């Protein structure tokens, strides 16, 4: 019998979307930080539109002039604010303005979706455990920049993506959810990135729901709390 091949499918996504999420009365207010093309941002917006995530996005903040994510926000009618980090004398001053912009928009949760800036304690002090980041590897393997290239150079057979709570040390926070993606013999950074992105779009909305339940004290018994 011939086996079907679906290289974009993960070996596993864990954990699944919690049923308790459907009982939440108020939508989560998400502020998204993005630096580039914005595919994860748009996946979040689409998940909200499809009823897969009970949330709203009152503001997108981006730091690179001309970043494609701004055009995606415009198409969906979501306010986009450019805060160019190059105009700030310190990371702390930059993060202070980010925090103020998010608070003025009523944001409760901060989602770093392709945000290519290290955060400081200033931003963490404002939002604490309500800051999430998505990273293209199975953390703790291959943290930091060029995670996909790191995986290919290491010769591992499986990589994937992770959503975690933000901590001051890069990609070190408690893991919320992961998806595993096989590395194929002929993979390039581009082809592997495309397949990882498919899974990023799946797990990011689920992770937000899990984090909200955790914050409300309704998380599963095996959910990380440190």
């Amino acid at each position: 019998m011939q086996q079907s091949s679906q290289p974009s499918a993960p070996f596993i996504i864990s954990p699944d979307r919690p049923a308790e999420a459907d009982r939440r009365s108020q939508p989560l207010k998400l502020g998204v930080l993005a630096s580039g093309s914005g595919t994860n941002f748009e996946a979040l917006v689409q998940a909200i539109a499809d009823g897969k995530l009970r949330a709203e996005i009152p503001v997108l903040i981006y730091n690179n002039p001309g970043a494609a994510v701004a055009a995606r926000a415009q198409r969906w009618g979501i306010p986009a604010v450019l805060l160019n980090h190059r105009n700030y004398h310190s990371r702390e001053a930059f993060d202070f303005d980010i925090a103020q912009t998010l608070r003025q928009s009523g944001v409760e949760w901060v989602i770093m979706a392709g945000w290519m800036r290290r955060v400081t304690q200033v931003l963490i002090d404002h939002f604490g455990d309500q800051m999430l980041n998505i990273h293209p590897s199975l953390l703790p393997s291959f943290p930091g920049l060029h995670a996909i290239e790191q995986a290919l150079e290491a010769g591992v057979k499986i990589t994937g993506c992770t959503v975690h709570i933000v901590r001051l040390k890069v990609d070190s926070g408690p893991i919320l959810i992961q998806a595993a993606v096989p590395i194929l013999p002929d993979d390039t950074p581009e082809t592997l990135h495309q397949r990882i992105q498919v899974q990023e779009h799946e797990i990011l909305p689920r992770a937000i729901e899990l984090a909200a339940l955790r914050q409300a004290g309704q998380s599963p018994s095996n959910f990380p709390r440190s």
Side-chain angles (χ1 to χ4, degrees):
M1 185 172 76
Q2 185 177 8
Q3 293 182 339
S4 63
S5 175
Q6 294 182 343
S8 66
F11 286 145
I12 187 171
I13 295 179
S14 177
D16 204 343
R17 182 179 184 272
E20 296 93 329
D22 295 324
R23 296 199 291 268
R24 185 166 18 83
S25 59
Q26 297 297 322
L28 302 171
K29 292 182 184 281
L30 312 178
V32 179
L33 309 183
S35 297
S37 65
T39 60
N40 276 311
F41 164 76
E42 188 149 32
L44 271 184
V45 179
Q46 191 65 60
I48 294 169
D50 293 344
K52 296 178 180 178
L53 175 63
R54 187 165 171 73
E56 56 188 50
I57 302 177
V59 67
L60 161 78
I61 294 176
Y62 65 108
N63 64 309
N64 288 319
V69 68
R72 294 180 191 268
Q74 184 177 27
R75 288 199 299 271
W76 284 95
I78 294 174
V81 176
L82 171 63
L83 294 178
N84 191 336
H85 63 275
R86 301 163 187 85
N87 297 334
Y88 291 83
H89 68 276
S90 70
R91 291 180 183 271
E92 288 78 10
F94 180 51
D95 278 1
F96 179 82
D97 271 9
I98 290 173
Q100 293 303 304
T101 302
L102 293 170
R103 289 299 191 195
Q104 289 166 8
S105 297
V107 165
E108 302 163 335
W109 290 83
V110 181
I111 313 301
M112 296 166 58
W115 182 246
M116 305 305 292
R117 302 295 301 168
R118 293 184 64 173
V119 302
T120 68
Q121 196 63 44
V122 170
L123 197 53
I124 292 174
D125 284 346
H126 273 84
F127 291 96
D129 282 1
Q130 293 179 212
M131 290 182 61
L132 310 183
N133 180 53
I134 189 159
H135 181 74
S137 80
L138 293 177
L139 293 173
S141 296
F142 313 124
L145 295 175
H146 311 300
I148 292 173
E149 289 82 358
Q150 289 183 58
L152 289 171
E153 289 172 7
V156 298
K157 304 305 180 187
I158 299 172
T159 186
C161 47
T162 303
V163 181
H164 64 93
I165 298 169
V166 173
R167 293 288 186 265
L168 194 59
K169 183 179 177 182
V170 172
D171 298 328
S172 67
I175 291 170
L176 295 166
I177 190 171
Q178 293 180 306
V181 175
I183 296 180
L184 304 180
D186 58 348
D187 261 331
T188 65
E190 292 72 27
T191 60
L192 182 54
H193 180 243
Q194 289 172 2
R195 295 205 317 285
I196 289 175
Q197 271 196 332
V198 172
Q199 304 313 325
E200 288 180 337
H201 300 167
E202 287 289 327
I203 69 172
L204 186 54
R206 301 188 197 194
I208 293 168
E209 294 282 18
L210 285 167
L213 287 175
R214 174 188 186 270
Q215 196 76 355
Q218 301 176 21
S219 57
S221 59
N222 63 346
F223 195 84
R225 289 191 169 273
S226 59

